[in-house]
Amino acid sequence: VVICNDAGELEGFNVMVGGGMGRTHNKANTFARAADHLGYVPKEDMMELMKSVLASQRDHGNRDVRANARMKYLVHTLGIDNFRTLVESYFGKKVQPWRQTKEWKYMDWMGWWDQGDGKLFYGLHVDNGRVKDEGEFRLKSALRVLVDKYNVDMILSPTQSLIFRDIDPKD
């Protein structure tokens, strides 16, 4: 997690370890797991901390059973405090406590929004990112008409929806 100061300059990172959604069906010794908070590291030390985390997995992870050769199982087995101590033994210094972050709110940007320059943008949800014409539902054709008639730019969002930008309010 990126940590910036009030001026927006990078200060460092809150680091999480040991998460993963993978598991093997009908194998109780494999499981999904949310990551734990390891702590904060200044930007200057980030690469060395990452090397220390990887060295900890390399030297102490379970290599006998491939399904368990994941960091999440090492963190689960040791616990986050013991894992942090192990990482610090490679890192050569203490990992700082997790820094509080500003409250974060997810915005999907669907619907109409002012984009700040007198123009608007519109977010359109697209099921599973599937832009197609199927039966009576003619999304692909409708998008073609909008682009041809109004010359709007489209952006594909991280959630596979569409954002039409630079829309003149008089249109």
Side-chain angles (χ1 to χ4, degrees):
V1 178
V2 175
I3 304 296
C4 294
N5 62 22
D6 291 336
E9 298 163 336
L10 176 65
E11 287 187 344
F13 302 88
N14 278 341
V15 179
M16 295 182 282
V17 294
M21 296 305 295
R23 65 179 192 88
T24 304
H25 183 66
N26 284 334
K27 298 234 179 188
N29 63 342
T30 67
F31 47 86
R33 184 178 191 285
D36 287 317
H37 294 178
L38 183 66
Y40 170 82
V41 63
K43 65 182 178 184
E44 299 82 15
D45 294 334
M46 182 62 173
M47 289 307 294
E48 285 306 311
L49 180 69
M50 291 297 96
K51 289 178 188 176
S52 301
V53 168
L54 293 173
S56 298
Q57 169 65 19
R58 178 196 65 208
D59 296 344
H60 299 277
N62 183 349
R63 294 190 172 270
D64 296 330
V65 181
R66 185 170 185 218
N68 293 105
R70 305 285 183 271
M71 188 175 301
K72 67 179 176 178
Y73 300 116
L74 179 60
V75 174
H76 177 77
T77 301
L78 294 177
I80 189 60
D81 293 330
N82 289 331
F83 184 78
R84 184 180 302 109
T85 300
L86 177 62
V87 169
E88 288 170 347
S89 72
Y90 288 90
F91 189 45
K93 54 178 110 172
K94 294 280 187 193
V95 175
Q96 296 176 28
W98 183 268
R99 287 220 185 152
Q100 286 302 112
T101 56
K102 294 178 183 173
E103 188 172 329
W104 182 80
K105 180 182 176 190
Y106 173 74
M107 297 288 293
D108 64 6
W109 302 107
M110 297 297 101
W112 288 100
W113 296 85
D114 182 356
Q115 70 182 29
D117 61 357
K119 294 186 178 181
L120 304 171
F121 70 89
Y122 180 77
L124 174 70
H125 173 74
V126 178
D127 285 337
N128 298 316
R130 306 276 187 214
V131 175
K132 60 184 178 178
D133 288 342
E134 188 173 310
E136 296 292 315
F137 187 71
R138 314 281 300 161
L139 179 59
K140 187 175 180 181
S141 296
L143 294 175
R144 170 82 305 177
V145 169
L146 286 172
V147 170
D148 289 345
K149 184 172 182 178
Y150 297 104
N151 195 31
V152 293
D153 292 330
M154 285 187 288
I155 301 169
L156 185 63
S157 77
T159 59
Q160 299 182 357
S161 294
L162 292 173
I163 296 176
F164 299 90
R165 66 184 186 117
D166 296 331
I167 299 171
D168 192 326
K170 66 181 182 236
D171 290 338

